[in-house]
Amino acid sequence: MGTFFELFLGNWYCWFKSFYSDYLSQYLWGYNPVSGAYDLELRYNTIGLYTLGISLLMVILYYYVIDHPRFCKWWSWLIVALVNSAIALFVGYYCVQSDYDAGKIPDELLYSRDENGEIIQYLISIPGECWSFGISNMFMAFLFFIILSFLLHWWSRVAKYSPFIKF
Amino acid sequence: MKTYVFCIGGTGARVMKALAMLLTTGVKIEVDEIVPIFIDPDAAAADLTRTISFLRDYQYINEQLHFTSDMKNNFFKTQISELIPGYRLELSNTQNNKFQQYMDFASLDIANQALAYMLFSAKNLGSDMDVGFKGNPNIGSVVLNQFAQSEAFFDFANSFRPGDRIFIVSSIFGGTGASGFPLLLKNLRGIDMNFPNAGNIKDAAIGAITVLPYFNLAQSTDGKNDIDSSTFISKAKAALEYYDKNISGNNSLNAFYYIADDIYDTYAYSVGGPTQANKAHIIELLAALAIVDFCKMDNDILQSSKGKALRPIYKEFGAEADDEEMIFSSFYGITRKEIQRPMTEFTLFCKFLNEHLSSSQSQKWTKGKRPFDDNFFNGIFFSSHLRAVKENYLQWLKEMASNRRRFSPFHLEEMKKDVFGFVKGVKPGKVINYRSNYDLFDYYLCDIEPKISNNLSTEARFIELLYQTVNKLVEDKKLA
């Protein structure tokens, strides 16, 4: 396991871990069943940074590009936040699904096999858990959007008080 | 430096109203203070009462704005002062009196009564003084000769300072203006040297505009017209002949403006009083511009000595196009430059207040460090005085647009999908901004609001913010 900052996003994702299995979580933490160590890519960070980046773009879009007098009410902010979450849902789904398709998820985390190598149990259900992770990524994106809105709304010309002062 | 504007009769009141409207919009006038003084025996004339009511609203707003160096605002910038309570020079013994009672006809000896009968008809002698002189300058020349004895005239003399100027507005075709103007001028140039500042007044820069006939009057409902508009031209000719000898001929004025038109509208007949509410007319606006022009003149040009102008100037107004409907492009550049931008800015301001403010009140610009909250919008400044000014201004524009000749530079109807297309003959320019119409207006308000000084009062901040916004919009959209 890495430093506090390396683990920061993963720890946040774990708040919403109940949507998917421990096996998928293990993969996302970078667990390597062969070595028994966390030496694979820390996917939480990669996907988290994608989501953070998209949320940042959406916040900038809302506060500085759209910045429209008719689109500065709390509900307009909420619409953009929900759109951001919806994008995150698909990003989460796509990342796990593409990792699976590319064979990046270790077999040991995907299946339980008998002595003959026959699959006796699917440890990670695909594509169900891709969507489940997408849902947790959706919550993360909403969280990012709130935090970034707090940080970046000050310099908006029109939407400065959206959604923090009730209109 | 002050300019005292003596406004004689109904035309005087309407020209003063036009000047106040122009000052409201921020037309630049090279004077610190305008002091209107109305001379009209008809205290109830709607033209006069409407003007006075507007001046009071203007004055209130001007006082609330406390113009400081922090402000770029030109709306309501020039101070209008009430030297005489009610702005009106009271004429004694005119209330509830007939002319013959006023001149104490019964006490005259037979010879003088005979002379009076030669000068005044029986109808003249029986005229009621409450409603002016009903187009009879011969009556006016008697009654108005008293104003030099009034306390108000003394107050005027007392407040006069070297460098102050005087301007007289009158019509030539009625009773009050035609008779009052030469009398007033005589009293100013030949002022009794016992008055305070008499020397300064005698040699002051004095300008005047005389308005030639520009409307007709319809027949009265009973067919008995005390004022007959068919005599306007002959009266004007007679008065001009008199002016030629006694005003122009003896260099009494430093600057003398004439204005006339050959397209007339016919107004409903009114002998005076509350029913005398003539529609605003472009001639009155242009006459008001004469005052602006007079205030701009160099002192060197307006020198007087021993009550005579050393270099008298005579001016007329000309327009580029003789259109029945005038718009800004109908004027020559100098006039356009003077009025187009301020009028466009203030009209946009009024349209915003009327058409969009209620929707815009939830925007960020109302919620800054010094918010514009319900207390402000329900307060007397906004809900009473500013609203009255806005309504009066728009009404004034509508009246000019419905008169003949028409002055109709703006589309005053609501055009929410083409907000900036309201200036006739002007195609709004493009701005690099995807917002349009009132969304663009709101965007500019939100952008400018944080830059407005918080040291200003809420009233001043509001006007300053709206001024800077409409100023930038008019600039960016190339509306003037």
Side-chain angles (χ1 to χ4, degrees):
Chain A
M1 299 293 271
T3 63
F4 172 79
F5 287 107
E6 281 174 324
L7 305 179
F8 189 70
L9 286 172
N11 285 329
W12 278 31
Y13 271 98
C14 286
W15 296 341
F16 309 103
K17 199 178 78 61
S18 53
F19 291 102
Y20 50 90
S21 66
D22 284 343
Y23 296 102
L24 180 58
S25 178
Q26 291 283 311
Y27 165 68
L28 295 168
W29 275 119
Y31 180 68
N32 185 350
V34 178
S35 65
Y38 291 89
D39 53 12
L40 296 177
E41 183 189 348
L42 184 49
R43 291 295 281 161
Y44 274 136
N45 273 2
T46 318
I47 300 169
L49 286 173
Y50 285 154
T51 308
L52 186 64
I54 290 166
S55 299
L56 179 66
L57 286 177
M58 293 298 280
V59 167
I60 289 170
L61 183 75
Y62 177 69
Y63 284 107
Y64 300 100
V65 180
I66 296 176
D67 201 19
H68 196 284
R70 269 188 288 170
F71 207 64
C72 63
K73 309 282 192 291
W74 66 268
W75 50 262
S76 6
W77 177 89
L78 187 63
I79 288 171
V80 181
L82 292 175
V83 169
N84 179 53
S85 298
I87 294 169
L89 170 75
F90 290 102
V91 168
Y93 165 82
Y94 175 79
C95 287
V96 177
Q97 181 72 52
S98 60
D99 283 359
Y100 173 78
D101 293 342
K104 287 183 180 173
I105 304 176
D107 194 76
E108 292 80 353
L109 293 175
L110 277 173
Y111 314 110
S112 172
R113 295 178 187 271
D114 62 14
E115 292 164 352
N116 300 323
E118 294 296 321
I119 297 170
I120 54 171
Q121 190 185 355
Y122 289 90
L123 301 175
I124 298 174
S125 126
I126 300 290
E129 287 199 41
C130 299
W131 287 115
S132 302
F133 178 73
I135 290 169
S136 64
N137 199 39
M138 198 172 80
F139 284 108
M140 282 296 288
F142 196 80
L143 206 59
F144 288 149
F145 195 84
I146 292 172
I147 293 165
L148 291 169
S149 293
F150 264 110
L151 292 173
L152 298 176
H153 73 107
W154 299 105
W155 302 279
S156 169
R157 283 179 180 171
V158 174
K160 180 178 175 181
Y161 298 123
S162 172
F164 305 107
I165 287 181
K166 194 179 176 187
F167 286 91
Chain B
M1 191 186 88
K2 297 190 288 288
T3 295
Y4 294 85
V5 183
F6 285 90
C7 309
I8 310 176
T11 304
R14 290 191 297 276
V15 171
M16 186 61 226
K17 186 176 175 181
L19 178 66
M21 293 292 176
L22 292 177
L23 297 182
T24 299
T25 67
V27 164
K28 285 199 173 57
I29 185 165
E30 304 291 326
V31 67
D32 302 322
E33 196 176 340
I34 291 283
V35 186
I37 299 173
F38 295 102
I39 299 173
D40 195 339
D42 186 1
D47 286 334
L48 180 64
T49 53
R50 288 199 306 179
T51 302
I52 288 176
S53 161
F54 185 81
L55 291 177
R56 289 199 192 290
D57 287 322
Y58 180 101
Q59 212 182 349
Y60 179 87
I61 293 170
N62 172 273
E63 282 165 8
Q64 295 298 308
L65 296 184
H66 308 293
F67 285 87
T68 63
S69 56
D70 288 348
M71 296 178 77
K72 294 178 184 166
N73 170 40
N74 283 332
F75 296 161
F76 306 98
K77 192 166 186 179
T78 306
Q79 189 183 342
I80 295 182
S81 302
E82 188 173 353
L83 172 70
I84 304 167
Y87 301 97
R88 187 173 151 265
L89 207 143
E90 285 284 349
L91 298 170
S92 55
N93 299 325
T94 55
Q95 299 301 304
N96 304 317
N97 244 350
K98 303 228 178 280
F99 181 51
Q100 59 185 351
Q101 290 165 319
Y102 176 84
M103 63 188 294
D104 211 1
F105 183 80
S107 69
L108 298 176
D109 59 32
I110 301 259
N112 277 322
Q113 283 193 356
L115 179 64
Y117 273 127
M118 285 173 66
L119 296 171
F120 305 103
S121 66
K123 205 173 173 182
N124 285 166
L125 291 168
S127 281
D128 204 339
M129 296 285 89
D130 285 344
V131 288
F133 311 127
K134 300 184 210 171
N136 296 295
N138 51 344
I139 302 177
S141 61
V142 173
V143 179
L144 293 175
N145 210 16
Q146 60 164 284
F147 46 52
Q149 283 85 49
S150 68
E151 198 178 321
F153 193 80
F154 180 87
D155 291 342
F156 151 72
N158 202 25
S159 71
F160 200 90
R161 295 286 172 270
D164 289 350
R165 296 180 182 181
I166 297 167
F167 199 88
I168 305 167
V169 184
S170 62
S171 71
I172 203 168
F173 54 99
T176 313
S179 57
F181 164 47
L183 280 172
L184 174 63
L185 189 58
K186 188 187 80 178
N187 279 296
L188 293 169
R189 287 302 194 199
I191 189 168
D192 182 342
M193 295 312 279
N194 292 321
F195 272 99
N197 303 307
N200 293 328
I201 295 171
K202 188 181 178 77
D203 288 333
I206 303 182
I209 185 160
T210 190
V211 181
L212 285 104
Y214 65 100
F215 61 84
N216 282 325
L217 287 179
Q219 283 288 316
S220 63
T221 47
D222 58 6
K224 294 177 188 167
N225 282 25
D226 283 336
I227 306 169
D228 181 0
S229 59
S230 68
T231 65
F232 282 176
I233 295 289
S234 53
K235 277 181 186 164
K237 279 183 179 172
L240 281 171
E241 200 170 330
Y242 177 81
Y243 291 0
D244 182 39
K245 288 178 190 147
N246 297 290
I247 293 175
S248 320
N250 59 13
N251 293 351
S252 294
L253 285 171
N254 298 87
F256 198 4
Y257 298 79
Y258 293 95
I259 192 154
D261 200 357
D262 53 6
I263 298 177
Y264 293 1
D265 199 1
T266 301
Y267 292 172
Y269 181 80
S270 166
V271 74
T275 58
Q276 192 194 331
N278 294 356
K279 285 188 290 188
H281 195 287
I282 184 176
I283 286 286
E284 293 147 13
L285 182 150
L286 299 174
L289 284 179
I291 304 171
V292 176
D293 183 75
F294 176 70
C295 292
K296 268 196 304 205
M297 284 185 188
D298 281 344
N299 281 326
D300 298 346
I301 303 170
L302 301 174
Q303 294 294 314
S304 306
S305 175
K306 295 176 185 167
K308 304 279 180 205
L310 297 179
R311 294 166 60 191
I313 295 165
Y314 301 93
K315 289 194 172 186
E316 286 183 304
F317 182 83
E320 188 168 339
D322 185 25
D323 301 328
E324 177 132 346
E325 178 175 335
M326 305 282 281
I327 58 174
F328 288 125
S329 59
S330 311
F331 297 124
Y332 286 113
I334 193 164
T335 309
R336 266 207 307 271
K337 197 175 167 197
E338 214 154 32
I339 62 172
Q340 181 169 355
R341 178 141 195 173
M343 285 185 74
T344 302
E345 288 171 354
F346 195 74
T347 305
L348 182 58
F349 168 79
C350 291
K351 280 173 80 74
F352 170 80
L353 295 186
N354 262 4
E355 297 167 8
H356 189 64
L357 179 67
S358 54
S359 318
S360 186
Q361 269 173 266
S362 62
Q363 294 291 328
K364 190 202 102 182
W365 66 269
T366 63
K367 300 172 189 305
K369 278 186 187 166
R370 299 275 307 274
F372 303 110
D373 53 15
D374 287 348
N375 286 338
F376 171 73
F377 289 114
N378 296 329
I380 187 169
F381 175 87
F382 183 84
S383 68
S384 175
H385 296 284
L386 190 59
R387 182 163 291 168
V389 165
K390 175 200 70 179
E391 296 300 333
N392 276 304
Y393 175 76
L394 292 174
Q395 178 63 26
W396 179 69
L397 288 178
K398 281 178 194 158
E399 287 178 12
M400 283 197 293
S402 64
N403 218 323
R404 286 189 71 210
R405 114 182 23 232
R406 288 197 298 281
F407 178 51
S408 177
F410 303 116
H411 294 287
L412 294 175
E413 67 277 13
E414 192 169 326
M415 303 193 303
K416 283 204 167 178
K417 291 190 174 166
D418 186 18
V419 168
F420 303 109
F422 73 103
V423 188
K424 289 184 183 172
V426 176
K427 191 174 176 227
K430 301 271 182 209
V431 292
I432 305 170
N433 196 313
Y434 84 100
R435 299 154 194 93
S436 60
N437 298 315
Y438 280 128
D439 291 331
L440 186 67
F441 201 117
D442 279 338
Y443 182 78
Y444 276 36
L445 280 170
C446 292
D447 185 33
I448 293 168
E449 188 274 332
K451 299 168 195 159
I452 305 292
S453 168
N454 281 318
N455 297 327
L456 304 175
S457 66
T458 309
E459 291 81 5
R461 288 190 80 246
F462 181 78
I463 298 291
E464 179 69 13
L465 170 61
L466 267 294
Y467 173 78
Q468 287 197 25
T469 302
V470 293
N471 185 273
K472 190 165 163 39
L473 283 166
V474 167
E475 176 79 34
D476 291 356
K477 299 294 277 182
K478 298 181 176 62
L479 300 181

